Amino acid sequence: MAFPRLNQLGTALQAAGLDALALNPGPSLAYLTGLHFHISERPVVVFFTPDREPVIVLPELEMLKVTDLPMKAFAYAEDPTAWEGVFRQAAESLGLDGRQVGVEPRAMRLLEFRHLQAGLPEADFPDAAGVVSSLRVRKDAGEVAAMRKAVQIAQAALQAAIPLIKVGMSEKDLAAELVVQLLRGGSQSEMPFSPIVSGGSNSANPHATPTDRALRPGDLLVIDWGAAVDGYVSDLTRTFAVGEVDAEYRGIHQVVLEANAAGRAAARPGAPCADVDLAARTVIEKAGYGAFFTHRTGHGLGMEGHEEPYMRGDNRLPLEPGMTFTVEPGIYLPGRNGVRIEDDMVVTANGAESLSDMPRELRLVG
Amino acid sequence: MAFPRLNQLGTALQAAGLDALALNPGPSLAYLTGLHFHISERPVVVFFTPDREPVIVLPELEMLKVTDLPMKAFAYAEDPTAWEGVFRQAAESLGLDGRQVGVEPRAMRLLEFRHLQAGLPEADFPDAAGVVSSLRVRKDAGEVAAMRKAVQIAQAALQAAIPLIKVGMSEKDLAAELVVQLLRGGSQSEMPFSPIVSGGSNSANPHATPTDRALRPGDLLVIDWGAAVDGYVSDLTRTFAVGEVDAEYRGIHQVVLEANAAGRAAARPGAPCADVDLAARTVIEKAGYGAFFTHRTGHGLGMEGHEEPYMRGDNRLPLEPGMTFTVEPGIYLPGRNGVRIEDDMVVTANGAESLSDMPRELRLVG
């Protein structure tokens, strides 16, 4: 088995002026090689160069994963004092000391990095987050198909869970039911994030974790959830009303609904990411709630729950066909209630398509 | 709300000669403060000193999580170019530049570390993994109770899944069913690892990921799974026979069963961790399969799936009451079949107790 994406990687490495890229396990390694490892106390690093076979450092007990792959393996035993020497051998086999060895700061831990430094005491380790990201950011048809399926599984799972929502149910219990439906529907069990289920004052926290708080009449209920298919994820949010809610809450829901539509409509090839943010934010600011929309409008989506490109007001990156990202404006009234509506977009040749189509209007539950 | 564990931390920091500890989100931060954050592209760091309030650097949109806590917060907005300055302000508020600021290499990413370095250009960042670990390694009664419940939920979930196991079922489908049972039984949905379900030749890979391979008559079937309760996990393994299996496979199962019992029996206060490894390993070596037991006998368990103390032949650390760890010997015949039997132990005043009691004998399924 060859690694078809390594040609592109070699070109990207040379364009970035890098002699090599050192990756620990994570989405970029999976993208390039299909290899998955649990992050653990045993460091795993793969070195990629523009013109030679990849070199991997890994524990002996993981050797079966790579024996049939076109990469050179340096395996270490259980005693950690010997690991540094194995890293040095691997690095020397590629002659990388004193060279430019790019790393991904968001993925690599100090554990791997300090082993790298010990093995390559004279090398530089510049931030190379953009190298694999520049390949991953434009999804091919197979990747979009996996994301589309992940959206469909997520939507069907929430649809199945909605009838179970009752006043008095805890956020945690609803989150667990939703996960059960996601798994029954075919989502991978390893997901990048667990559902956010937040009611009432908790819904005013955009990154809430489900609690034992019971749903009460008059609550807004924010559900932010997703599924994973073949390593690609969906990430959606809908907001519900637990029985009748105050007119102001219906009002902010309507504002966010219009902001979501404006953000989605602004996405097209050539438009800078900032335009998507601006379009959604302007709707909320004009309604007088700008101070309560405390985050960017969206983030890229694919093998990770958050990745490039980011829909931020300062991001001039132009959108290109195949880019996938969320549009998720929100209004959060601290201590009271919050609203968020999130869809998953893919940029097409002429515009952009929402992979998600579940109704966005405020629905009464409970 | 105060943080009751910070007194102990202050003492441990001073004993280690550290002026401060810098943690990113993860188990140690949760242990000390109860704070949970998703690891994301937005760095979060908390500084602990022996004598002052903790200081946290975090995104503005996470501020609600800390407003009622006794810590000083430095929040940053969405534009990453401003983050370095906020880290510098936070570090300066504690006068930490040029000092010894411990870090946890297994938890901290280069993302946080490079922001730390930028904020504290003259500081040293020694490996302080042992500091919080030295507190976490002895579980109190509440922690053991959570682990006991996590074991019970895991055992009940597998018991409920066993009748579903059929020849022709894929590893992935069985893993998904098991996760459904775990969640229905009350496990938290955020678990440190997904179940390993590996049949036939896949069972010979100790760290297999569930595949589409269908179970066949004559397979050994390794199931390595766990649950999470209040942030504490269980981690168990049982091996099954899919219909009748070769006599050699029944034989290696019996050897591993005896190795598991010997490892469990060796655990007591004062015994070095190495004794547990040696006891289990000797059984397998005497049976002639020493070369096929390719990993240590166990690892510590608690808030993480793998933590201190490690049951390795070179680990002279003496066991103490409250330490919790796995005993999980295995025999892996490459390309053929494998066996592992794993239990979760807690060291008591006079010996050690297995939190898990599900039958370990080879059971026929399918």
Side-chain angles (χ1 to χ4, degrees), chain B residues 130-180:
Chain B
V131 171
V132 186
S133 165
S134 72
L135 309 182
R136 285 172 49 193
V137 75
R138 282 177 304 277
K139 273 67 178 174
D140 64 27
E143 294 177 288
V144 173
M147 294 180 67
R148 195 181 295 276
K149 191 162 175 205
V151 166
Q152 288 163 350
I153 290 171
Q155 295 191 155
L158 183 58
Q159 202 59 50
I162 287 175
L164 306 171
I165 302 175
K166 295 279 175 278
V167 167
M169 188 177 200
S170 77
E171 295 167 353
K172 275 185 183 168
D173 285 348
L174 176 52
E177 283 299 338
L178 183 52
V179 173
V180 166

Short mmCIF file of all heavy atoms in Angstrom, two decimals, chain B residues 130-180:
data_model
loop_
_atom_site.label_atom_id
_atom_site.label_comp_id
_atom_site.label_asym_id
_atom_site.label_seq_id
_atom_site.Cartn_x
_atom_site.Cartn_y
_atom_site.Cartn_z
N GLY B 130 5.37 14.53 37.91
CA GLY B 130 5.24 13.82 39.18
C GLY B 130 4.51 14.59 40.26
O GLY B 130 4.10 14.01 41.27
N VAL B 131 4.34 15.90 40.10
CA VAL B 131 3.81 16.71 41.20
C VAL B 131 2.34 16.42 41.46
O VAL B 131 1.96 15.98 42.55
CB VAL B 131 4.04 18.22 40.92
CG1 VAL B 131 3.30 19.07 41.96
CG2 VAL B 131 5.54 18.53 40.96
N VAL B 132 1.48 16.64 40.47
CA VAL B 132 0.06 16.36 40.69
C VAL B 132 -0.16 14.84 40.74
O VAL B 132 -0.99 14.34 41.50
CB VAL B 132 -0.82 17.01 39.60
CG1 VAL B 132 -2.30 16.82 39.96
CG2 VAL B 132 -0.51 18.50 39.49
N SER B 133 0.63 14.13 39.94
CA SER B 133 0.53 12.67 39.95
C SER B 133 0.77 12.11 41.34
O SER B 133 0.11 11.15 41.75
CB SER B 133 1.55 12.11 38.95
OG SER B 133 1.74 10.74 39.16
N SER B 134 1.69 12.72 42.10
CA SER B 134 1.97 12.21 43.46
C SER B 134 0.76 12.37 44.37
O SER B 134 0.61 11.64 45.35
CB SER B 134 3.18 12.92 44.05
OG SER B 134 2.85 14.27 44.40
N LEU B 135 -0.11 13.33 44.05
CA LEU B 135 -1.36 13.48 44.81
C LEU B 135 -2.43 12.53 44.26
O LEU B 135 -3.15 11.87 45.01
CB LEU B 135 -1.88 14.92 44.72
CG LEU B 135 -0.88 16.04 45.05
CD1 LEU B 135 -1.57 17.40 44.96
CD2 LEU B 135 -0.28 15.85 46.43
N ARG B 136 -2.50 12.46 42.93
CA ARG B 136 -3.57 11.69 42.30
C ARG B 136 -3.40 10.19 42.49
O ARG B 136 -4.36 9.43 42.36
CB ARG B 136 -3.63 12.01 40.79
CG ARG B 136 -4.25 13.38 40.48
CD ARG B 136 -4.11 13.74 39.01
NE ARG B 136 -4.54 12.67 38.13
CZ ARG B 136 -4.29 12.61 36.82
NH1 ARG B 136 -3.62 13.60 36.24
NH2 ARG B 136 -4.71 11.60 36.11
N VAL B 137 -2.17 9.74 42.74
CA VAL B 137 -1.89 8.30 42.68
C VAL B 137 -2.55 7.53 43.83
O VAL B 137 -2.87 6.35 43.67
CB VAL B 137 -0.37 8.05 42.63
CG1 VAL B 137 0.28 8.28 43.99
CG2 VAL B 137 -0.04 6.68 42.08
N ARG B 138 -2.77 8.20 44.97
CA ARG B 138 -3.48 7.53 46.08
C ARG B 138 -4.92 8.03 46.08
O ARG B 138 -5.20 9.18 46.39
CB ARG B 138 -2.80 7.85 47.41
CG ARG B 138 -1.54 7.05 47.67
CD ARG B 138 -0.89 7.49 48.97
NE ARG B 138 -0.62 8.93 48.94
CZ ARG B 138 0.46 9.47 48.37
NH1 ARG B 138 1.37 8.70 47.82
NH2 ARG B 138 0.61 10.78 48.36
N LYS B 139 -5.83 7.16 45.72
CA LYS B 139 -7.24 7.54 45.63
C LYS B 139 -7.88 7.57 47.01
O LYS B 139 -7.63 6.67 47.83
CB LYS B 139 -8.01 6.57 44.73
CG LYS B 139 -7.97 6.91 43.25
CD LYS B 139 -6.61 6.77 42.62
CE LYS B 139 -6.59 7.05 41.13
NZ LYS B 139 -5.22 7.05 40.60
N ASP B 140 -8.75 8.55 47.24
CA ASP B 140 -9.52 8.58 48.49
C ASP B 140 -10.79 7.74 48.30
O ASP B 140 -11.07 7.22 47.22
CB ASP B 140 -9.80 10.02 48.93
CG ASP B 140 -10.68 10.79 47.96
OD1 ASP B 140 -11.50 10.17 47.24
OD2 ASP B 140 -10.56 12.03 47.92
N ALA B 141 -11.57 7.63 49.39
CA ALA B 141 -12.72 6.73 49.36
C ALA B 141 -13.72 7.15 48.27
O ALA B 141 -14.31 6.29 47.60
CB ALA B 141 -13.41 6.72 50.73
N GLY B 142 -13.89 8.44 48.07
CA GLY B 142 -14.84 8.90 47.05
C GLY B 142 -14.38 8.51 45.66
O GLY B 142 -15.19 8.13 44.80
N GLU B 143 -13.08 8.59 45.43
CA GLU B 143 -12.55 8.23 44.11
C GLU B 143 -12.69 6.73 43.86
O GLU B 143 -13.07 6.30 42.77
CB GLU B 143 -11.08 8.67 44.01
CG GLU B 143 -10.88 10.17 44.04
CD GLU B 143 -9.42 10.57 44.03
OE1 GLU B 143 -8.73 10.37 45.05
OE2 GLU B 143 -8.95 11.06 42.98
N VAL B 144 -12.39 5.93 44.89
CA VAL B 144 -12.52 4.47 44.73
C VAL B 144 -13.99 4.11 44.50
O VAL B 144 -14.31 3.24 43.68
CB VAL B 144 -11.95 3.72 45.95
CG1 VAL B 144 -12.25 2.22 45.86
CG2 VAL B 144 -10.45 3.95 46.05
N ALA B 145 -14.89 4.81 45.18
CA ALA B 145 -16.32 4.51 45.00
C ALA B 145 -16.73 4.79 43.55
O ALA B 145 -17.51 4.03 42.96
CB ALA B 145 -17.15 5.35 45.97
N ALA B 146 -16.23 5.88 42.97
CA ALA B 146 -16.57 6.18 41.57
C ALA B 146 -16.01 5.10 40.65
O ALA B 146 -16.68 4.66 39.71
CB ALA B 146 -16.01 7.55 41.19
N MET B 147 -14.79 4.65 40.91
CA MET B 147 -14.20 3.60 40.07
C MET B 147 -14.96 2.28 40.22
O MET B 147 -15.16 1.56 39.26
CB MET B 147 -12.73 3.42 40.42
CG MET B 147 -11.89 4.65 40.05
SD MET B 147 -10.14 4.46 40.45
CE MET B 147 -9.68 3.17 39.28
N ARG B 148 -15.38 2.00 41.45
CA ARG B 148 -16.14 0.77 41.67
C ARG B 148 -17.43 0.81 40.86
O ARG B 148 -17.81 -0.17 40.21
CB ARG B 148 -16.45 0.63 43.17
CG ARG B 148 -16.92 -0.74 43.61
CD ARG B 148 -17.23 -0.76 45.11
NE ARG B 148 -16.06 -0.54 45.96
CZ ARG B 148 -15.20 -1.50 46.33
NH1 ARG B 148 -15.40 -2.75 45.91
NH2 ARG B 148 -14.17 -1.22 47.10
N LYS B 149 -18.08 1.97 40.84
CA LYS B 149 -19.31 2.09 40.07
C LYS B 149 -19.01 1.97 38.57
O LYS B 149 -19.78 1.37 37.82
CB LYS B 149 -19.99 3.42 40.39
CG LYS B 149 -21.39 3.50 39.84
CD LYS B 149 -22.24 4.59 40.49
CE LYS B 149 -23.58 4.68 39.78
NZ LYS B 149 -24.21 5.98 39.88
N ALA B 150 -17.89 2.54 38.15
CA ALA B 150 -17.52 2.45 36.73
C ALA B 150 -17.25 1.00 36.33
O ALA B 150 -17.54 0.59 35.20
CB ALA B 150 -16.29 3.33 36.45
N VAL B 151 -16.70 0.21 37.26
CA VAL B 151 -16.50 -1.23 36.98
C VAL B 151 -17.85 -1.93 36.88
O VAL B 151 -18.09 -2.72 35.95
CB VAL B 151 -15.63 -1.87 38.09
CG1 VAL B 151 -15.70 -3.39 38.01
CG2 VAL B 151 -14.19 -1.40 37.97
N GLN B 152 -18.74 -1.60 37.82
CA GLN B 152 -20.05 -2.29 37.81
C GLN B 152 -20.83 -1.98 36.53
O GLN B 152 -21.44 -2.87 35.93
CB GLN B 152 -20.85 -1.88 39.06
CG GLN B 152 -20.28 -2.51 40.33
CD GLN B 152 -20.77 -1.83 41.61
OE1 GLN B 152 -21.39 -0.77 41.56
NE2 GLN B 152 -20.46 -2.44 42.75
N ILE B 153 -20.80 -0.72 36.12
CA ILE B 153 -21.51 -0.36 34.88
C ILE B 153 -20.90 -1.09 33.69
O ILE B 153 -21.61 -1.59 32.81
CB ILE B 153 -21.47 1.18 34.68
CG1 ILE B 153 -22.36 1.86 35.73
CG2 ILE B 153 -21.90 1.55 33.27
CD1 ILE B 153 -22.23 3.38 35.75
N ALA B 154 -19.58 -1.17 33.66
CA ALA B 154 -18.92 -1.84 32.54
C ALA B 154 -19.30 -3.32 32.50
O ALA B 154 -19.63 -3.88 31.45
CB ALA B 154 -17.40 -1.67 32.64
N GLN B 155 -19.25 -3.98 33.66
CA GLN B 155 -19.56 -5.41 33.69
C GLN B 155 -21.00 -5.67 33.27
O GLN B 155 -21.27 -6.59 32.49
CB GLN B 155 -19.29 -5.97 35.11
CG GLN B 155 -17.82 -5.92 35.48
CD GLN B 155 -17.45 -6.70 36.75
OE1 GLN B 155 -16.32 -7.12 36.90
NE2 GLN B 155 -18.41 -6.88 37.64
N ALA B 156 -21.93 -4.84 33.77
CA ALA B 156 -23.34 -5.03 33.41
C ALA B 156 -23.55 -4.79 31.91
O ALA B 156 -24.36 -5.48 31.27
CB ALA B 156 -24.21 -4.08 34.24
N ALA B 157 -22.81 -3.84 31.36
CA ALA B 157 -22.98 -3.54 29.93
C ALA B 157 -22.51 -4.71 29.08
O ALA B 157 -23.17 -5.10 28.11
CB ALA B 157 -22.20 -2.27 29.57
N LEU B 158 -21.36 -5.29 29.43
CA LEU B 158 -20.90 -6.42 28.62
C LEU B 158 -21.84 -7.61 28.79
O LEU B 158 -22.18 -8.30 27.82
CB LEU B 158 -19.46 -6.82 28.99
CG LEU B 158 -18.91 -7.95 28.11
CD1 LEU B 158 -18.94 -7.58 26.62
CD2 LEU B 158 -17.49 -8.34 28.52
N GLN B 159 -22.30 -7.81 30.03
CA GLN B 159 -23.24 -8.90 30.27
C GLN B 159 -24.47 -8.75 29.37
O GLN B 159 -24.96 -9.73 28.81
CB GLN B 159 -23.64 -8.87 31.75
CG GLN B 159 -24.17 -10.18 32.28
CD GLN B 159 -23.16 -11.31 32.15
OE1 GLN B 159 -22.01 -11.18 32.55
NE2 GLN B 159 -23.58 -12.42 31.55
N ALA B 160 -24.94 -7.51 29.22
CA ALA B 160 -26.11 -7.27 28.38
C ALA B 160 -25.79 -7.45 26.90
O ALA B 160 -26.67 -7.77 26.09
CB ALA B 160 -26.65 -5.86 28.63
N ALA B 161 -24.54 -7.23 26.51
CA ALA B 161 -24.17 -7.32 25.09
C ALA B 161 -23.85 -8.75 24.66
O ALA B 161 -23.98 -9.09 23.48
CB ALA B 161 -22.97 -6.40 24.80
N ILE B 162 -23.44 -9.59 25.60
CA ILE B 162 -23.01 -10.95 25.23
C ILE B 162 -24.06 -11.71 24.42
O ILE B 162 -23.73 -12.34 23.41
CB ILE B 162 -22.57 -11.73 26.49
CG1 ILE B 162 -21.20 -11.20 26.99
CG2 ILE B 162 -22.46 -13.23 26.20
CD1 ILE B 162 -20.73 -11.83 28.29
N PRO B 163 -25.35 -11.66 24.82
CA PRO B 163 -26.34 -12.43 24.05
C PRO B 163 -26.48 -11.96 22.60
O PRO B 163 -27.02 -12.69 21.76
CB PRO B 163 -27.65 -12.20 24.81
CG PRO B 163 -27.25 -11.73 26.17
CD PRO B 163 -25.95 -11.03 26.00
N LEU B 164 -26.00 -10.74 22.32
CA LEU B 164 -26.11 -10.22 20.95
C LEU B 164 -24.99 -10.72 20.04
O LEU B 164 -25.06 -10.55 18.82
CB LEU B 164 -26.07 -8.69 20.98
CG LEU B 164 -27.09 -8.00 21.91
CD1 LEU B 164 -26.80 -6.51 22.01
CD2 LEU B 164 -28.51 -8.23 21.38
N ILE B 165 -23.94 -11.30 20.63
CA ILE B 165 -22.78 -11.70 19.82
C ILE B 165 -23.14 -12.90 18.95
O ILE B 165 -23.63 -13.91 19.45
CB ILE B 165 -21.58 -12.05 20.73
CG1 ILE B 165 -21.23 -10.85 21.63
CG2 ILE B 165 -20.38 -12.47 19.89
CD1 ILE B 165 -20.12 -11.13 22.64
N LYS B 166 -22.92 -12.77 17.64
CA LYS B 166 -23.25 -13.84 16.69
C LYS B 166 -22.13 -13.95 15.67
O LYS B 166 -21.49 -12.94 15.32
CB LYS B 166 -24.54 -13.48 15.92
CG LYS B 166 -25.79 -13.40 16.79
CD LYS B 166 -26.39 -14.78 17.06
CE LYS B 166 -27.56 -14.69 18.03
NZ LYS B 166 -27.16 -14.62 19.45
N VAL B 167 -21.92 -15.16 15.18
CA VAL B 167 -21.03 -15.34 14.03
C VAL B 167 -21.52 -14.43 12.91
O VAL B 167 -22.73 -14.31 12.67
CB VAL B 167 -21.04 -16.82 13.58
CG1 VAL B 167 -20.38 -16.98 12.21
CG2 VAL B 167 -20.34 -17.70 14.62
N GLY B 168 -20.60 -13.73 12.26
CA GLY B 168 -20.98 -12.84 11.16
C GLY B 168 -21.10 -11.39 11.57
O GLY B 168 -21.10 -10.49 10.73
N MET B 169 -21.22 -11.16 12.87
CA MET B 169 -21.31 -9.77 13.36
C MET B 169 -19.93 -9.12 13.22
O MET B 169 -18.90 -9.76 13.44
CB MET B 169 -21.71 -9.82 14.84
CG MET B 169 -22.02 -8.47 15.45
SD MET B 169 -22.57 -8.72 17.19
CE MET B 169 -23.43 -7.16 17.45
N SER B 170 -19.92 -7.83 12.87
CA SER B 170 -18.62 -7.16 12.74
C SER B 170 -18.14 -6.65 14.10
O SER B 170 -18.94 -6.40 15.01
CB SER B 170 -18.71 -6.00 11.76
OG SER B 170 -19.34 -4.89 12.36
N GLU B 171 -16.83 -6.49 14.19
CA GLU B 171 -16.25 -5.94 15.42
C GLU B 171 -16.85 -4.56 15.71
O GLU B 171 -17.18 -4.23 16.85
CB GLU B 171 -14.74 -5.80 15.26
CG GLU B 171 -14.02 -7.13 15.10
CD GLU B 171 -12.57 -6.97 14.64
OE1 GLU B 171 -12.16 -5.83 14.32
OE2 GLU B 171 -11.85 -7.99 14.60
N LYS B 172 -17.00 -3.75 14.65
CA LYS B 172 -17.53 -2.40 14.83
C LYS B 172 -18.94 -2.42 15.40
O LYS B 172 -19.29 -1.63 16.27
CB LYS B 172 -17.55 -1.66 13.49
CG LYS B 172 -16.25 -1.00 13.12
CD LYS B 172 -16.44 -0.19 11.83
CE LYS B 172 -15.14 0.43 11.38
NZ LYS B 172 -15.25 0.97 10.01
N ASP B 173 -19.79 -3.33 14.86
CA ASP B 173 -21.17 -3.38 15.33
C ASP B 173 -21.25 -3.82 16.80
O ASP B 173 -22.04 -3.28 17.57
CB ASP B 173 -22.01 -4.32 14.45
CG ASP B 173 -22.33 -3.69 13.10
OD1 ASP B 173 -22.10 -2.47 12.95
OD2 ASP B 173 -22.78 -4.41 12.20
N LEU B 174 -20.41 -4.77 17.14
CA LEU B 174 -20.41 -5.21 18.54
C LEU B 174 -19.91 -4.10 19.45
O LEU B 174 -20.46 -3.86 20.53
CB LEU B 174 -19.56 -6.49 18.69
CG LEU B 174 -19.40 -7.03 20.11
CD1 LEU B 174 -20.74 -7.20 20.82
CD2 LEU B 174 -18.63 -8.36 20.09
N ALA B 175 -18.89 -3.37 19.00
CA ALA B 175 -18.38 -2.26 19.80
C ALA B 175 -19.46 -1.20 20.00
O ALA B 175 -19.63 -0.65 21.10
CB ALA B 175 -17.14 -1.65 19.14
N ALA B 176 -20.22 -0.91 18.95
CA ALA B 176 -21.28 0.10 19.07
C ALA B 176 -22.36 -0.36 20.04
O ALA B 176 -22.84 0.42 20.87
CB ALA B 176 -21.88 0.40 17.69
N GLU B 177 -22.75 -1.64 19.97
CA GLU B 177 -23.76 -2.16 20.90
C GLU B 177 -23.27 -2.05 22.34
O GLU B 177 -24.03 -1.73 23.26
CB GLU B 177 -24.08 -3.62 20.58
CG GLU B 177 -24.99 -3.80 19.38
CD GLU B 177 -26.36 -3.14 19.58
OE1 GLU B 177 -26.77 -2.90 20.73
OE2 GLU B 177 -27.00 -2.84 18.56
N LEU B 178 -21.99 -2.33 22.52
CA LEU B 178 -21.44 -2.26 23.87
C LEU B 178 -21.47 -0.82 24.39
O LEU B 178 -21.80 -0.57 25.56
CB LEU B 178 -20.01 -2.83 23.84
CG LEU B 178 -19.26 -2.92 25.15
CD1 LEU B 178 -20.06 -3.64 26.23
CD2 LEU B 178 -17.91 -3.61 24.93
N VAL B 179 -21.16 0.13 23.53
CA VAL B 179 -21.20 1.53 23.96
C VAL B 179 -22.64 1.94 24.31
O VAL B 179 -22.88 2.64 25.30
CB VAL B 179 -20.60 2.46 22.88
CG1 VAL B 179 -20.81 3.92 23.26
CG2 VAL B 179 -19.12 2.17 22.70
N VAL B 180 -23.58 1.49 23.51
CA VAL B 180 -24.99 1.78 23.83
C VAL B 180 -25.33 1.27 25.23
O VAL B 180 -25.95 1.97 26.04
CB VAL B 180 -25.92 1.14 22.77
CG1 VAL B 180 -27.36 1.12 23.26
CG2 VAL B 180 -25.80 1.88 21.44
#
